[in-house]
Amino acid sequence: MSELKQKHHDIWQAVKDQMSDTKLPIKLRNNVPDGSYYDIKFGIPNAYLSLHYLDEENCAKVMINFRNERGEAYFKELLRQKEHVETEIGASLDWDPAEHARYCSIVLWKRDVDLGTSTTMPELADWYVTWLGNFHMALFPLLSAIPK
């Protein structure tokens, strides 16, 4: 395994280990990915959470993706409530409509991640788990309340 793949594996294993200690009703797949955790189901159709580490850009992100027409309707409703959503999650977010992509997304970035220098593996895993929890706790009730 290359050094980069090993680093990614270690990040996701640390996240998976920390997730097992939470009471979040989110299950990460058993196999630890080489790249990112994506398509994390959390009980809302057409909406998926994901975690990414972009080594070449020294950043991490937690995001929710919305797919298909139903997902786009979810995104538009949340965008209408943008201030409330950001307050509930606890951060300013990037809102990306599906103009040039197959899905809409809402993203939280962590910039200047330099593993081994300014950021440790446990700190990064804790950041992922904390914000994944914040996304879930804020978005699940809001999305569940949107009429189908």
Side-chain angles (χ1 to χ4, degrees):
M1 186 179 299
S2 73
E3 186 177 331
L4 180 60
K5 281 189 173 189
Q6 184 64 52
K7 182 192 297 185
H8 285 216
H9 180 274
D10 293 347
I11 291 168
W12 304 126
Q13 186 61 54
V15 169
K16 190 172 183 320
D17 291 347
Q18 284 196 23
M19 282 293 294
S20 67
D21 294 337
T22 72
K23 296 190 185 323
L24 288 172
I26 299 172
K27 300 287 185 228
L28 299 178
R29 61 184 183 262
N30 287 330
N31 61 321
V32 174
D34 287 336
S36 302
Y37 264 116
Y38 56 90
D39 290 350
I40 301 168
K41 296 177 183 177
F42 71 110
I44 303 293
N46 299 36
Y48 302 89
L49 296 166
S50 62
L51 309 173
H52 302 273
Y53 176 70
L54 305 165
D55 191 56
E56 64 279 355
E57 297 177 32
N58 289 335
C59 63
K61 63 182 176 176
V62 174
M63 64 191 295
I64 183 167
N65 298 313
F66 300 97
R67 297 191 182 133
N68 306 325
E69 288 178 22
R70 183 71 197 137
E72 191 171 347
Y74 284 144
F75 179 85
K76 287 178 180 175
E77 178 58 27
L78 292 178
L79 185 57
R80 192 181 67 71
Q81 303 178 53
K82 180 180 178 184
E83 188 175 308
H84 175 68
V85 170
E86 290 182 345
T87 298
E88 289 295 308
I89 288 177
S92 179
L93 305 167
D94 284 345
W95 296 74
D96 189 13
E99 293 173 13
H100 302 290
R102 294 183 302 183
Y103 53 85
C104 307
S105 59
I106 302 171
V107 183
L108 174 67
W109 292 92
K110 179 174 178 59
R111 308 254 183 226
D112 301 322
V113 175
D114 188 1
L115 283 175
T117 304
S118 63
T119 310
T120 67
M121 194 78 64
E123 289 170 337
L124 183 57
D126 185 56
W127 182 86
Y128 280 121
V129 172
T130 297
W131 290 104
L132 185 64
N134 288 6
F135 267 63
H136 177 267
M137 288 184 286
L139 296 176
F140 184 81
L142 292 173
L143 292 170
S144 296
I146 297 171
K148 302 218 175 342

